[in-house]
Amino acid sequence: MRSILGFCIIATAALFPQIIRAADNLPPLRTVPKVELERYMGKWYEIASFPQWFQKGCTASTATYSLRNDGKVNVLNECRDKTLDGKMRQAKGKAWVVDKQTNSKLKVSFFWPFSGDYWIIDLAPGYEYAVIGHPKRTYLWILSRKPHMDTGTYEAILQRLKAQNYDLGPLKKTLQPPE
């Protein structure tokens, strides 16, 4: 296991400069103008994402957010291992707002001292869906309040992501249980 982890770290370190250079040639990623944190809290279903090593084998992925007394946000990510009735996996973390004028830029940490950018780059007016990105465009999650999203809404989101210079080649839909 250590050798696999070591290989992943070396491979990521080797590719990181190329990823940063490619992203640096793009215009800055735009976030939504305003997020009401209270409305954003609750359960979200992952509709699609760029596959990440920490989500390998995940199906029926969800994220649940709740405000803490200190103003930060509790994060609970859950998924089923490999199948819809597979073993439940959980990751607990915390998030905090970085841009207090818009609340659309956050940092998320699942193991201190490491944290990552969590930018809300698309959000339905009624908070029915949200799209989470990273300033270097290396992460992407399309989230919904329901386990499934209608095709028209999904395609419109993809068009807005293309306008933000996202390469959607790596995007994979997430298997969710029937409603």
Side-chain angles (χ1 to χ4, degrees):
M1 183 67 172
R2 283 187 178 164
S3 63
I4 292 172
L5 181 60
F7 173 77
C8 290
I9 290 170
I10 291 168
T12 302
L15 292 174
F16 197 65
Q18 288 91 351
I19 292 168
I20 289 175
R21 277 195 297 276
D24 284 343
N25 293 330
L26 297 173
L29 187 63
R30 293 181 313 276
T31 60
V32 297
K34 187 72 177 163
V35 176
E36 294 175 40
L37 284 182
E38 295 80 14
R39 291 182 72 194
Y40 194 80
M41 297 300 104
K43 188 171 190 171
W44 293 90
Y45 295 86
E46 181 182 290
I47 301 301
S49 69
F50 283 1
Q52 301 297 326
W53 63 270
F54 49 84
Q55 286 186 287
K56 186 175 172 109
C58 277
T59 61
S61 298
T62 63
T64 304
Y65 307 110
S66 58
L67 281 175
R68 297 167 27 147
N69 290 336
D70 63 3
K72 293 182 179 170
V73 176
N74 284 321
V75 179
L76 174 62
N77 288 347
E78 296 179 293
C79 74
R80 296 285 180 173
D81 194 27
K82 298 183 181 91
T83 65
L84 291 176
D85 47 343
K87 181 180 177 186
M88 179 67 75
R89 293 170 33 190
Q90 292 185 337
K92 294 179 181 179
K94 69 178 173 183
W96 57 95
V97 174
V98 176
D99 179 355
K100 296 196 185 286
Q101 286 189 319
T102 67
N103 291 335
S104 60
K105 293 180 182 177
L106 296 94
K107 289 276 191 187
V108 177
S109 177
F110 288 93
F111 18 82
W112 184 256
F114 304 103
S115 65
D117 291 310
Y118 180 106
W119 287 16
I120 302 169
I121 61 173
D122 198 354
L123 183 63
Y127 289 64
E128 299 89 2
Y129 66 80
V131 180
I132 310 311
H134 183 276
K136 300 293 183 187
R137 295 171 176 86
T138 51
Y139 296 98
L140 181 66
W141 288 274
I142 299 174
L143 307 175
S144 174
R145 293 294 189 178
K146 297 180 180 178
H148 301 278
M149 180 180 281
D150 70 82
T151 303
T153 300
Y154 184 75
E155 291 299 323
I157 289 169
L158 296 184
Q159 291 307 311
R160 289 191 295 276
L161 286 168
K162 288 177 187 174
Q164 284 251 49
N165 296 295
Y166 255 96
D167 172 9
L168 299 179
L171 188 65
K172 300 287 183 230
K173 284 201 167 184
T174 304
L175 180 64
Q176 291 286 357
E179 289 189 76

